[in-house]
Each structure stands twice: as C-alpha cells, then as structure tokens.
Amino acid sequence: MLATIASAALQGIDAEVVHVEVNAGEVGEPKLFIVGLPDAAVKESGDRVWAALNNTGFRPPRTRTTINLAPGHLRKEGPCYDLPIALGILAATGQLKAPALGDWLIAGELSLSGATRPVRGALAMARLARTLGKRGMLLPGLSAEEAALVEGLEVHRVDSLDRAARFLSGEIQLAPFDPASARARVQISSAAEAADFSEIKGQHALRRAVEVAVGGSHNLLMIGPPGSGKSMLAKRIPTVMPAPTLEEQLEILSIHSAAGRTISGEMAWGTRPFRTPHHTVSDVALLGGGTIPGPGEISLAHHGVLFLDELPEFKRSALETLRQPLEDGEVSISRSAGKVTLPSAFMLVAAMNPCKCGYLGDPKHECRCSPAEVQRYRARISGPLLDRIDIHVDAPALSLAELRNEKPGEASAPLRDRVQAARLRQHGRFAGTKITSNARMSHAQIRRHCPIDSTLGDLLQQAMEQLNLSARAYDRILKVARTIADLAAADNIEAPHLLEAIQYRSLDRTLFY
C-alpha cells in the first residue's frame, strides 16, 4: 500500500516541497530503505522512526518498506522527515485512516519515545504551505509557534507521534495557533533595553554621526584611539533603531529560523539583529555557504547591524567578500549542491584605530609606528570597500573633564524618536517598493528624490574635486544628505544638509591617501 505526505526541504532561507512516499508490503526482510538523495541524518531516520513506533504502541512494518523523498535531485538533510515518515508508515500499513492527509504539510524530529522535537526553517515551511494552498501544518511546539506568525494557515502543535496520528484520524481535536497571540509572545530583549546612550560621555560629533547613520541605515566607520568609546557606542546602536515592520520581522525570522537560532532561543524576536563576529571569522562564516549553502553573518544581520570591531585585523579576503552585499543588499552563493541567493541588507558599523599602536594623533600618547607601518596598517582596508562606507567619523580620546562629568548624555529614547520620524518619511517616499531606507536607493531614485539646484551642485563638484572622491561617493553623499534633511523634517536638500554629508566623507581621504 502506498501513502504520500507533504513535507519540505530548506534551500537557503526558502523551502521547497518534498513528497514523502511510503510503500509498504514489499517482499523482503522487514527493513526501511530511504532513497531520494538523503544525508546521514535522514538515513538515520529509519532507526529513530522504528523505535518511536514501537514505544508509542504502533506496529513497525513487517515487510520491506521503501521510503522515497521526492524530488530525487534535491538533497535532503536533517531530521525533519522523522514525523512524516512515521505517519506515512502508519497510513501505508493501515494503522492510520486519514482521508485528508494531503491537506497538511508535516515536519518534525522524533525521539525514541515518540515525542517530537523542533526543526529548522518552520517559517519558510509555513510560507510554502500557504503558497501550495495547504489547509495547515503539523509541527512540534517551538516550530509551531514560529510558523503561526504566517497568517492564512492553520498551524497545530503536536507533541508526539501518537497525538499527531490521533488528530489526523479525527479522534481528538487540536486548536490552531492564533497569529495574533503568537506575535503577542514576541518579547523585546531586556539586555538591549539595559544599555542606553545616556551612558556615553562627550563624543557629540560621534553621536550625531550615529543618528544620521541609523536614520537612513547608512554604513559607518569610527576611527579613534583605544578607549575613546567606539565599541561602547556601537553596542548601543540597537537601542536607537526603530522596531522592524511586520514584513521585516518575518524576513529576519526566516533567516534565523533557517540557521537554527530560533530553536535554541538565541534570537530575540521583535528586535533588529546585532551581529559582532570576531576578527578571526572565516570567509564562509561571514558570507555564508557550506555543502548546502546557508546564511552567514551578513545574512543574519539582515535589517540590522553588522559590527566589525578592529576592522583592519579582519582577513583581507573576508573583508573583500562584503563588497557586493554592501552594494546589492543580497549575496548569491554557488556550491555543488546548488545556488541560493540570501538577503543581506545590513547596516555596517566598523571601528578601527588610526594606526597599529592606536595613538597616532593622540595628544596624550606618543605614536610608536613608523610611516611605513602606518601605511601598511591602513592598506589592510581596500579603497573599494572604504568607498562603500557612507560615513567616516573621528572618535577622539576623551578628556579628564569629560570623564568626570556626572551629567548624563542624551538618552536613547529621544534619539530613537527622531530616527523613527525620519524612517516614516522614507517609508512614505518608497511606498510600493521593497526599499525601506535611503541607503538602499537606486541611481534612478537618487535623481528623483535627491534633486539639488545649480549652487549646491557646484558646491558638491568642488568638494568632489578637492577630496578626489569617486562617482560612487557622489551618490552616497546625496543619500546621506537626504537622510539629514529627513531628520530635520525638510522636504528638500539644503546647503547645511549637503555640507554635513560632505564632511562625513573627508576623513578617509586624510587618513588613507
């Protein structure tokens, strides 16, 4: 007897349908044969399923049973097929009567006792089920809560193989998760709320640069000696970022779900990601990849912040992989198992010292680096990468008077309010498109939304010639000027906005050339 159950396989952060076909009653010894390009974890499903059937009170197959995971060209990985395989065996051996079995997309890992365990990519599977027109999904607990964020789909939590079989046969009823209540369980990270910009002493110019950068999701480079507060300030950037929209939340969650972070509870739902990889990170860990391509740090930072502390200490090859994602907001990865395109529209925040010893230009400390050593240190960051960073700002060492000042700085809340107001203007400007911030404007959109008169044009041309800036820098200056105008609630770019944007591009020319 043949039974077929719909499940899914992850490809990057998307899911593709997998039909679990179970054929029982074949001549031969009682054994499970799994075909359809399975990996080691899928091949081991047979042993888990056999024990789960025994320990749940069901009868394992007494004949040879073939399990085909179609389509055969798509590689299957992970234990998510345990539950559909077990239910398929029950249906193929006549132990489960479920005429509406084809209405459901099912996934879940089984323990030897028959209890279910969560799986990666539940949100992507839920989107697939909705696209396929399925009635709903059967998933383990944490995975079901995650999938319930997708509207227009019944998502039922099944904690065991026995419970899933009894539900499908109509013996028991299970209430589906309510999407509204699922979102209500989303909690904002208390750790992010604990830090606040009021703890930052001095650094008024640096704080302003951060406000502009977050206001338009622009890339930011902070250059200053050790102890000037670069890392401390960067770690407080999430406290001034606006909450993600519902669509952004689902995109963020899809990526982290595919990476398995939602299962372990590492991901704080309802907040923007803040990723801080160590400078020893490999190219694959930063960009993404693997035998079956999966998300790396730049995709895990999608709609959030990627903070690279001590930028020149990163491997040159790893930094160069950032060029295309910074420009396009996505990365394409090709491997023997296939090609996937992963979203990576992140805000890059980087920090570095002005030289190897860190004290070049510091009035309180003498720099021990020779001119050649300074040049070699700065040359670790290529010109093309630096050209893609919109804002470069100096972070000078604090004076003793500033350190002893007991008066708190401006808190995160008013900063976040100003940023939110600027982002709302941008959402209105780009309504009907996938763009949500000024930093993602195309060249055509820059011409449409960033017009400047001849006087401002002459001013920008003069700055371009004196600072020897590239054509890419021309567009990025206009994007930053548009954000500054948005923060000032101005409809058009004016001279103060353009001049502030230009001065954010002067530091790299004085430091690196």
Short mmCIF file of all heavy atoms in Angstrom, two decimals, residues 215-217 245 248 272 303 422-424 426-427 430 433-440:
data_model
loop_
_atom_site.label_atom_id
_atom_site.label_comp_id
_atom_site.label_asym_id
_atom_site.label_seq_id
_atom_site.Cartn_x
_atom_site.Cartn_y
_atom_site.Cartn_z
N GLY A 215 19.47 56.80 10.97
CA GLY A 215 18.31 57.43 10.34
C GLY A 215 18.08 56.98 8.91
O GLY A 215 16.93 56.94 8.45
N GLY A 216 19.15 56.63 8.20
CA GLY A 216 19.00 56.17 6.82
C GLY A 216 19.59 54.82 6.56
O GLY A 216 19.72 54.41 5.40
N SER A 217 19.99 54.09 7.63
CA SER A 217 20.64 52.78 7.53
C SER A 217 21.92 52.86 6.72
O SER A 217 22.22 52.00 5.89
CB SER A 217 19.68 51.75 6.90
OG SER A 217 20.17 50.45 7.11
N THR A 245 9.32 46.50 10.84
CA THR A 245 7.94 46.30 10.41
C THR A 245 7.61 44.81 10.43
O THR A 245 8.51 43.97 10.58
CB THR A 245 7.74 46.85 8.99
OG1 THR A 245 8.56 46.09 8.08
CG2 THR A 245 8.14 48.32 8.91
N GLU A 248 9.49 43.00 7.77
CA GLU A 248 10.90 42.89 8.13
C GLU A 248 11.10 41.83 9.22
O GLU A 248 12.06 41.07 9.19
CB GLU A 248 11.43 44.24 8.60
CG GLU A 248 11.63 45.25 7.49
CD GLU A 248 12.05 46.62 7.99
OE1 GLU A 248 11.79 46.92 9.19
OE2 GLU A 248 12.63 47.40 7.21
N ARG A 272 15.80 44.10 16.06
CA ARG A 272 16.69 44.01 14.90
C ARG A 272 17.97 43.27 15.30
O ARG A 272 18.47 43.44 16.40
CB ARG A 272 17.02 45.41 14.37
CG ARG A 272 15.80 46.11 13.76
CD ARG A 272 16.17 47.45 13.17
NE ARG A 272 15.01 48.12 12.63
CZ ARG A 272 14.57 47.98 11.39
NH1 ARG A 272 15.23 47.21 10.55
NH2 ARG A 272 13.50 48.64 10.98
N HIS A 303 18.52 43.52 7.88
CA HIS A 303 17.65 44.52 8.53
C HIS A 303 18.17 44.92 9.91
O HIS A 303 17.40 45.45 10.73
CB HIS A 303 16.21 44.02 8.66
CG HIS A 303 15.48 43.97 7.35
ND1 HIS A 303 15.54 44.98 6.42
CD2 HIS A 303 14.67 43.01 6.81
CE1 HIS A 303 14.80 44.66 5.37
NE2 HIS A 303 14.27 43.47 5.58
N ALA A 422 12.19 60.08 10.93
CA ALA A 422 12.88 60.11 9.64
C ALA A 422 12.56 58.85 8.82
O ALA A 422 12.36 58.92 7.60
CB ALA A 422 14.38 60.24 9.85
N ARG A 423 12.52 57.70 9.49
CA ARG A 423 12.22 56.45 8.77
C ARG A 423 10.78 56.45 8.24
O ARG A 423 10.51 55.91 7.16
CB ARG A 423 12.43 55.26 9.71
CG ARG A 423 13.89 54.93 10.00
CD ARG A 423 14.61 54.37 8.79
NE ARG A 423 15.95 53.92 9.11
CZ ARG A 423 16.27 52.65 9.38
NH1 ARG A 423 15.33 51.72 9.34
NH2 ARG A 423 17.51 52.32 9.65
N LEU A 424 9.85 57.04 8.98
CA LEU A 424 8.47 57.12 8.49
C LEU A 424 8.38 57.95 7.22
O LEU A 424 7.61 57.63 6.30
CB LEU A 424 7.56 57.71 9.58
CG LEU A 424 7.28 56.79 10.78
CD1 LEU A 424 6.46 57.52 11.83
CD2 LEU A 424 6.55 55.53 10.33
N GLN A 426 10.71 58.15 5.03
CA GLN A 426 11.28 57.29 3.99
C GLN A 426 10.30 56.20 3.57
O GLN A 426 10.21 55.86 2.38
CB GLN A 426 12.59 56.68 4.50
CG GLN A 426 13.69 57.72 4.71
CD GLN A 426 14.86 57.20 5.52
OE1 GLN A 426 15.35 56.11 5.28
NE2 GLN A 426 15.31 57.98 6.51
N HIS A 427 9.57 55.63 4.52
CA HIS A 427 8.57 54.62 4.18
C HIS A 427 7.51 55.21 3.24
O HIS A 427 7.07 54.55 2.30
CB HIS A 427 7.91 54.08 5.44
CG HIS A 427 8.82 53.23 6.26
ND1 HIS A 427 8.53 52.86 7.56
CD2 HIS A 427 10.02 52.68 5.98
CE1 HIS A 427 9.52 52.12 8.03
NE2 HIS A 427 10.44 52.00 7.10
N PHE A 430 9.09 55.66 -0.29
CA PHE A 430 9.33 54.45 -1.06
C PHE A 430 8.16 53.48 -1.00
O PHE A 430 8.34 52.28 -1.22
CB PHE A 430 10.60 53.76 -0.53
CG PHE A 430 11.82 54.62 -0.54
CD1 PHE A 430 12.53 54.86 0.63
CD2 PHE A 430 12.25 55.23 -1.70
CE1 PHE A 430 13.65 55.65 0.64
CE2 PHE A 430 13.37 56.03 -1.71
CZ PHE A 430 14.08 56.25 -0.54
N THR A 433 7.45 49.87 -2.94
CA THR A 433 8.71 49.23 -3.33
C THR A 433 9.24 48.41 -2.14
O THR A 433 8.73 48.49 -1.04
CB THR A 433 9.77 50.27 -3.73
OG1 THR A 433 10.21 51.00 -2.57
CG2 THR A 433 9.19 51.26 -4.74
N LYS A 434 10.30 47.65 -2.40
CA LYS A 434 10.91 46.85 -1.33
C LYS A 434 11.91 47.67 -0.52
O LYS A 434 12.44 47.18 0.48
CB LYS A 434 11.61 45.63 -1.94
CG LYS A 434 10.66 44.62 -2.57
CD LYS A 434 11.41 43.41 -3.06
CE LYS A 434 10.45 42.38 -3.65
NZ LYS A 434 11.16 41.17 -4.14
N ILE A 435 12.17 48.89 -0.93
CA ILE A 435 13.14 49.74 -0.24
C ILE A 435 12.50 50.36 0.99
O ILE A 435 11.36 50.83 0.94
CB ILE A 435 13.68 50.83 -1.19
CG1 ILE A 435 14.45 50.18 -2.34
CG2 ILE A 435 14.56 51.82 -0.45
CD1 ILE A 435 14.93 51.15 -3.38
N THR A 436 13.22 50.37 2.11
CA THR A 436 12.69 50.95 3.35
C THR A 436 13.58 52.04 3.92
O THR A 436 13.22 52.64 4.93
CB THR A 436 12.52 49.86 4.42
OG1 THR A 436 13.78 49.21 4.66
CG2 THR A 436 11.50 48.81 3.96
N SER A 437 14.74 52.31 3.30
CA SER A 437 15.65 53.34 3.84
C SER A 437 16.39 54.02 2.70
O SER A 437 16.52 53.46 1.59
CB SER A 437 16.65 52.72 4.83
OG SER A 437 17.48 51.79 4.18
N ASN A 438 16.90 55.20 2.99
CA ASN A 438 17.61 55.98 1.97
C ASN A 438 18.86 55.28 1.46
O ASN A 438 19.25 55.46 0.29
CB ASN A 438 18.00 57.35 2.54
CG ASN A 438 16.81 58.27 2.71
OD1 ASN A 438 15.80 58.14 2.00
ND2 ASN A 438 16.89 59.18 3.66
N ALA A 439 19.52 54.52 2.30
CA ALA A 439 20.77 53.87 1.91
C ALA A 439 20.56 52.88 0.77
O ALA A 439 21.51 52.57 0.05
CB ALA A 439 21.39 53.15 3.10
N ARG A 440 19.34 52.40 0.56
CA ARG A 440 19.07 51.39 -0.47
C ARG A 440 18.54 52.00 -1.76
O ARG A 440 18.12 51.27 -2.66
CB ARG A 440 18.05 50.37 0.06
CG ARG A 440 18.56 49.57 1.24
CD ARG A 440 19.72 48.70 0.85
NE ARG A 440 20.49 48.25 2.00
CZ ARG A 440 21.67 47.69 1.91
NH1 ARG A 440 22.24 47.55 0.72
NH2 ARG A 440 22.33 47.31 2.99
#
